[in-house]
Amino acid sequence: MATQRHVEVSEVGDVTVVRFLDRKILDEANIQELGQELFDLVEQDRRMKIVLNFSVVEFLSSAALGKLITLDRKQKAQNGLLKLSNIRPEIYEVFAITKLNKLFSILDDEADALAAF
Amino acid sequence: MPDKFPAWSVEQRILSRVGAGGDFLQSLLKQLERFAWPERDRFGIRLAVEEALSNAIRHGNALDDDKEVGIRCRVTQDKFWIEITDQGAGFDVTELPDPTAPENLTKPSGRGVLLIQNFMTQAYYSEKGNCLVMEKQRSSADGH
C-alpha cells in the first residue's frame, strides 16, 4: 500500500483502489497536488482500472470536480476504467446538480465498484 | 419564536488572493453551528460561499493585489444572507454557458454559479455583475 500526500493507493486484484485522505478537498494548492497524484496513476503508472473511494470526504468544491473530470478524460484516453464509490449524500447531490453523475460511474460502496469492472 | 441568540452580522474586506476568505468562512461556519443550522444547510452555504469568493477573487478581481472583495453577512436562526462585491468589470450571468449541456459536461470548470443557484434559496447579481447577493432560508426538520 502506497501513501502519497493526499491519497492512499492499494491493489485489489488488477484494480487500483484510491482512498482520499483529506476530509475536505478544498484548498487550491491541495487540489493541484491531489490532481497531480491522481494523474500520475494514469500517466506514469498506467493503472487501467481505478476506484476512487470517497468515504472520508465530507466536502469538495467545483475546482476538485474539475480535477476528477480531467482524470476521467485521461483515463478514457488510455482506454482505462474509472469508478467512484462511497460518496455521501450531500456530495452526491453536487454530482447530480452538475449532471456529473451521468459522466462518472458511481457505485454505492467499494465492493460494488470492484464488482462492476 | 424569538431567536435564542442575537443575529451575527459582519462586514469586512479581504485581499484578492486564493484562500483569503478562509478566516471569514471559519467564523461563518461557527455561527451556523451556534444557531444549530442543519448539516445539509451548512454544507450548501459553505459550498456557495466558497464558490462565490473564489469567483470574486479569481474572475472578478483577477487576483489583482490592488483590489479587494467586500463581504457583508448576516446570520440568524432562520436566515442566512450575504453580499459579496468585487472590484472587477462584472459579467452577465445570463451569458454563462450551461455546464450541464452535453457539450460542456467534460469541461473542467464553469460549475460554481450553477451550484450557488441550487444550494441557495435566492441568488442574484447586480446589473453590472460584480455584486452577488445570496440568501438561504433554514430547511424545515424534514429537510425541505
Side-chain angles (χ1 to χ4, degrees):
Chain A
M1 187 180 290
T3 300
Q4 294 167 290
R5 192 160 166 196
H6 301 285
V7 295
E8 179 187 270
V9 179
S10 59
E11 309 289 331
V12 180
D14 62 347
V15 181
T16 298
V17 175
V18 180
R19 293 189 182 90
F20 293 99
L21 299 176
D22 300 326
R23 288 192 300 134
K24 297 173 174 60
I25 306 177
L26 191 60
D27 175 73
E28 192 90 12
N30 286 341
I31 289 173
Q32 287 297 335
E33 291 171 1
L34 169 67
Q36 196 53 56
E37 288 178 22
L38 294 175
F39 300 161
D40 285 349
L41 294 172
V42 173
E43 293 175 326
Q44 288 183 13
D45 303 347
R46 302 281 170 201
R47 315 260 185 162
M48 299 302 285
K49 297 178 182 176
I50 298 176
V51 173
L52 298 182
N53 182 327
F54 283 75
S55 59
V56 306
V57 179
E58 296 171 359
F59 190 91
L60 53 74
S61 67
S62 68
L65 293 177
K67 294 297 179 193
L68 297 177
I69 291 164
T70 303
L71 176 71
D72 184 63
R73 202 179 64 225
K74 289 176 186 289
Q75 185 66 328
K76 282 175 178 158
Q78 67 166 5
N79 293 317
L81 297 168
L82 175 68
K83 300 192 186 296
L84 280 48
S85 76
N86 301 76
I87 295 178
R88 60 187 64 204
E90 293 92 349
I91 294 181
Y92 186 82
E93 192 176 355
V94 172
F95 281 86
I97 289 167
T98 54
K99 295 195 179 168
L100 291 174
N101 56 340
K102 312 280 184 206
L103 183 73
F104 293 107
S105 172
I106 301 177
L107 286 304
D108 283 349
D109 58 32
E110 195 177 301
D112 284 352
L114 289 169
F117 285 105
Chain B
M1 189 175 71
D3 281 357
K4 195 171 163 188
F5 300 108
W8 178 72
S9 296
V10 67
E11 189 166 344
Q12 68 179 88
R13 305 188 72 76
I14 60 169
L15 297 172
S16 298
R17 291 184 188 159
V18 171
D23 289 345
F24 163 74
L25 257 160
Q26 289 309 316
S27 302
L28 169 61
L29 291 171
K30 270 186 197 156
Q31 295 302 321
L32 293 169
E33 275 184 40
R34 187 171 71 103
F35 283 110
W37 276 65
E39 188 178 349
R40 186 181 172 280
D41 285 350
R42 284 186 272 135
F43 178 92
I45 290 170
R46 179 175 196 172
L47 184 63
V49 173
E50 291 274 4
E51 299 292 341
L53 288 177
S54 174
N55 283 347
I57 290 167
R58 292 186 148 275
H59 303 303
N61 286 351
L63 297 168
D64 182 342
D65 269 348
D66 294 330
K67 292 179 178 169
E68 292 179 325
V69 174
I71 301 170
R72 292 200 299 148
C73 183
R74 180 180 164 88
V75 178
T76 68
Q77 197 168 306
D78 299 312
K79 192 173 172 186
F80 161 78
W81 180 93
I82 191 168
E83 180 191 80
I84 296 172
T85 309
D86 64 56
Q87 295 180 306
F91 74 110
D92 183 350
V93 69
T94 63
E95 297 285 313
L96 288 179
D98 174 7
T100 66
E103 67 272 20
N104 296 327
L105 210 52
T106 56
K107 290 185 179 165
S109 60
R111 293 174 179 81
V113 173
L114 174 72
L115 291 170
I116 287 168
Q117 289 167 337
N118 273 273
F119 279 100
M120 292 290 106
T121 310
Q122 279 198 76
Y124 40 92
Y125 284 87
S126 62
E127 196 173 340
K128 186 181 170 188
N130 70 328
C131 175
L132 168 64
V133 172
M134 304 192 291
E135 292 179 19
K136 186 165 183 68
Q137 205 69 37
R138 183 195 182 106
S139 300
S140 57
D142 62 3
H144 297 289

